[in-house]
């Protein structure tokens, strides 16, 4: 054991490389620890193309930023050989502590990747004391590399949904693999239309997958997604997830409420009460609010009652039971809103559900759900909010991959 062994171990330095010196430069603020690495004289190095051991042709001095040593910035300097391979000519040899083209050590980059998963890039860059531009470059590299290794030849079931990219009317559509539990994001693309499905088809083929093998696709009731799936993945059974049905009616109830609130004043808290998730019985307070609304705002009350019936359908334990309940719901609700122009948003929602009845009921036949995607969407939106938005769709997509895609190992230097 000599004084450099601990740092050598930490950096993964092996012969012919060894640490030959370190100085603490106190003339700078913060102080800088400079570590010097050298290869033994006369060593041979593998050609980066064919791996054949070759002699050094010449050397170029390079410096990498390494993890801070306590409060001191730390730099590693080494004379990197260019080898002369009989077959491939003159090439710069690889070093074990950094990847080609980076000014940072792999350990530094790994620490940076851990930070950006937890906090906005600007904040992580401040902690690492590098520019956010440098940090983005590290993130882009590692995410791209991880995604380039993705193999989709096994893919059978997908779920897709759009997520807002923050700018007005700009969306990113995210695709997940239904058979992966965690880290199931496999693709994300700007937009929320048919072109997104087309782009996914091309990507799937690129990754060794086969569009005809896709047996299930879970999505919402948008025309663009459904017709896109029919065209690009003709073998897929289209399943509409229940959460999209609830979302549809939430939107309709809110539209009715907004319109009605212009004519009559509503009790405090109405907005949040009518938008609550239809996942449990109404609380006492909500019951009371509902009966007040029956008096002051009849349309909002009716729309809300219709939405609450969704829970009754969702609780059906069999596919037949659900079909029976859904049919009854549609008939009953249609009678309730009959000829009332102020309840048009609800009528529209009912028509949409009627049109996609079979796709909605498919959910009772299999276990697939895009609840997973719904949960992840929350993570993407939280990251976006913390970062106060992203410069463009590509940075948002990189963040989506970092949060939700299988990232593999950051640390391989090849
Ligand atoms: Zn070679």
């Amino acid at each position: 054991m000599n004084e450099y062994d601990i740092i050598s171990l930490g950096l993964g330095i092996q012969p012919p490389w060894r640490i030959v010196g370190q100085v603490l430069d106190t003339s700078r603020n913060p102080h800088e620890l400079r570590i010097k690495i050298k290869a033994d004289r006369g060593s041979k190095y593998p050609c980066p193309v064919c791996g054949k051991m070759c002699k050094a042709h010449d050397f170029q001095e390079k410096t990498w930023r390494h993890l801070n040593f306590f409060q001191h910035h730390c730099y590693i300097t080494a004379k990197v050989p260019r080898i002369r391979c009989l077959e491939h000519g003159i090439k710069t040899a690889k070093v074990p502590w950094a990847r080609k083209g980076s000014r940072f050590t792999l350990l530094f980059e790994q620490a940076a990747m851990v930070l950006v998963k937890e906090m906005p890039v600007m904040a992580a860059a401040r902690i690492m004391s590098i520019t956010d531009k440098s940090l983005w470059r590290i993130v882009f590299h590692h995410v791209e590399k991880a995604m380039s290794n993705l193999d989709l030849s096994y893919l059978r079931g997908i779920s897709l949904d759009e997520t807002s990219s923050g700018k007005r009317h700009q969306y990113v559509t995210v695709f997940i693999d239904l058979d992966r539990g965690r880290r199931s994001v496999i693709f994300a693309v700007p937009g929320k239309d048919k072109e997104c499905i087309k782009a996914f088809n091309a990507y799937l083929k690129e990754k060794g997958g086969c569009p005809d093998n896709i047996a299930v696709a879970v999505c919402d009731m948008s025309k663009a997604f459904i017709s896109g799936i029919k065209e690009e993945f003709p073998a897929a059974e289209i399943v509409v997830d229940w959460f999209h049905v609830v979302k549809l009616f939430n939107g309709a109830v809110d539209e009715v409420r907004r319109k009605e609130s212009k004519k009559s004043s509503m009790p405090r808290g109405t907005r949040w009460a009518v938008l609550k998730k239809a996942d449990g019985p109404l609380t006492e307070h909500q019951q009371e609010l509902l009966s007040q609304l029956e008096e002051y705002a009849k349309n909002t009350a009716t729309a809300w009652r219709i939405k609450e019936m969704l829970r009754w359908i969702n609780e059906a334990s069999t596919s037949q039971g659900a079909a029976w309940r859904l049919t009854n719901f549609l008939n009953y609700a249609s009678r309730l809103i009959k000829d009332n122009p102020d309840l048009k948003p609800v009528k529209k929602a009912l028509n949409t559900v009627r049109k996609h009845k079979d796709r909605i009921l498919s959910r009772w036949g299999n276990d697939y759900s895009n609840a997973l995607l719904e949960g992840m969407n929350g993570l993407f939106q939280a990251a976006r909010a913390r970062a106060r938005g992203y410069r463009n769709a590509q940075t948002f997509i990189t963040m989506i991959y970092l949060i939700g895609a299988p990232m593999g190992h950051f640390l391989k230097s090849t």
Side-chain angles (χ1 to χ4, degrees):
M1 206 78 178
N2 75 33
E3 54 180 322
Y4 302 133
D5 281 357
I6 290 171
I7 302 174
S8 300
L9 278 172
L11 278 168
I13 292 172
Q14 288 170 349
W17 297 100
R18 60 195 170 84
I19 296 176
V20 293
Q22 61 184 35
V23 281
L24 187 63
D25 182 352
T26 52
S27 67
R28 295 183 188 242
N29 189 20
H31 298 175
E32 287 177 0
L33 177 69
R34 298 185 165 274
I35 297 172
K36 207 166 175 182
I37 297 178
K38 222 179 132 181
D40 293 328
R41 239 190 136 87
S43 303
K44 286 186 167 182
Y45 310 86
C47 163
V49 184
C50 65
K52 212 178 126 202
M53 298 305 278
C54 309
K55 273 188 186 156
H57 171 73
D58 59 6
F59 293 85
Q60 287 173 329
E61 190 169 274
K62 288 191 178 172
T63 298
W64 298 264
R65 174 81 187 278
H66 185 48
L67 291 170
N68 284 4
F69 186 73
F70 295 96
Q71 72 273 38
H72 313 305
H73 287 185
C74 180
Y75 293 89
I76 288 169
T77 302
K79 284 192 172 133
V80 178
R82 292 199 303 165
I83 54 99
R84 184 199 287 277
C85 174
L86 288 177
E87 197 177 332
H88 300 103
I90 292 171
K91 297 273 174 201
T92 302
K94 271 184 200 152
V95 294
W97 57 85
R99 65 181 168 88
K100 194 183 162 202
S102 176
R103 296 181 293 114
F104 304 97
T105 63
L106 285 167
L107 281 170
F108 186 95
E109 294 195 343
Q110 191 200 27
M113 294 299 285
V114 169
L115 285 185
V116 292
K117 271 207 273 187
E118 307 295 333
M119 62 179 75
V121 166
M122 283 298 273
R126 219 162 23 236
I127 288 176
M128 307 291 295
S129 50
I130 56 174
T131 63
D132 62 319
K133 210 173 151 193
S134 298
L135 184 47
W136 269 119
R137 216 175 292 134
I138 293 171
V139 174
F140 282 139
H141 171 84
H142 287 286
V143 169
E144 206 171 282
K145 193 178 143 219
M147 294 312 284
S148 74
N149 292 330
L150 198 62
D151 169 19
L152 294 180
S153 57
Y154 60 86
L155 192 70
R156 297 288 178 274
I158 55 169
S159 166
L160 54 132
D161 200 10
E162 79 249 12
T163 186
S164 163
S165 82
K167 309 239 166 64
R168 261 178 95 80
H169 305 303
Q170 281 186 16
Y171 292 88
V172 166
T173 295
V174 181
F175 293 73
I176 71 167
D177 171 0
L178 284 174
D179 294 309
R180 265 177 210 261
R182 296 171 64 243
R183 304 216 140 259
S184 50
V185 172
I186 46 176
F187 185 57
V189 63
K192 57 164 184 169
D193 52 19
K194 225 187 221 183
E195 291 304 306
C196 298
I197 318 267
K198 213 175 191 173
F200 177 67
N201 184 307
Y203 175 82
L204 176 65
K205 287 188 238 171
E206 227 173 80
K207 300 281 180 198
C210 174
D212 288 334
N213 287 347
I214 304 301
V216 183
V218 183
C219 64
D220 63 14
M221 289 167 276
S222 79
K223 207 183 261 171
F225 280 169
I226 288 183
S227 70
I229 292 168
K230 277 186 188 164
E231 279 170 31
E232 305 292 332
F233 303 99
E237 178 189 13
I238 301 175
V239 180
V240 168
D241 196 73
W242 189 251
F243 117 83
H244 292 297
V245 177
V246 175
K247 202 169 140 193
L248 183 71
F249 277 88
N250 260 337
V253 176
D254 201 42
E255 220 181 308
V256 173
R257 180 197 61 81
R258 255 181 299 155
K259 206 171 163 198
E260 197 164 43
S261 69
K262 282 176 193 152
K263 291 184 218 158
S264 52
S265 67
M266 293 202 192
R268 271 178 83 114
T270 299
R271 181 171 174 219
W272 301 112
V274 300
L275 285 181
K276 84 170 196 72
K277 272 192 174 180
D279 56 358
L282 295 182
T283 63
E284 225 169 273
H285 172 71
Q286 288 163 341
Q287 292 277 11
E288 201 187 303
L289 197 61
L290 184 53
S291 50
Q292 281 179 32
L293 287 176
E294 300 281 9
E295 272 178 58
Y296 306 113
K298 211 161 175 23
N299 290 330
T300 305
T302 305
W304 187 5
R305 274 190 198 287
I306 289 173
K307 191 196 86 176
E308 287 303 318
M309 283 181 72
L310 294 176
R311 188 159 30 90
W312 173 67
I313 306 169
N314 191 32
E315 281 163 1
S317 50
T318 63
S319 168
Q320 291 97 318
W324 184 83
R325 289 185 187 194
L326 186 58
T327 306
N328 273 280
F329 164 77
L330 289 170
N331 293 340
Y332 175 75
S334 302
R335 275 201 305 277
L336 274 183
I337 62 162
K338 203 166 185 238
D339 301 329
N340 183 340
D342 290 332
L343 283 170
K344 225 178 188 164
V346 179
K347 190 178 177 181
K348 220 175 130 196
L350 289 169
N351 286 340
T352 305
V353 166
R354 196 171 281 124
K355 194 170 154 198
H356 297 286
K357 211 172 135 190
D358 291 342
R359 297 191 182 110
I360 293 167
L361 290 170
S362 287
R363 187 183 76 107
W364 272 266
N366 62 55
D367 306 328
Y368 290 132
S369 138
N370 64 9
L372 189 68
L373 191 49
E374 189 193 5
M376 248 186 282
N377 200 4
L379 295 180
F380 307 150
Q381 291 303 323
R384 187 173 65 76
R386 280 199 308 259
R388 303 209 184 89
Y390 291 109
R391 213 168 306 155
N392 53 47
Q394 208 46 52
T395 49
F396 186 36
I397 286 171
T398 298
M399 216 25 99
I400 287 171
Y401 286 152
L402 187 63
I403 293 168
M407 276 293 110
H409 208 328
F410 296 138
L411 269 182
K412 300 230 174 77
S413 60
T414 45

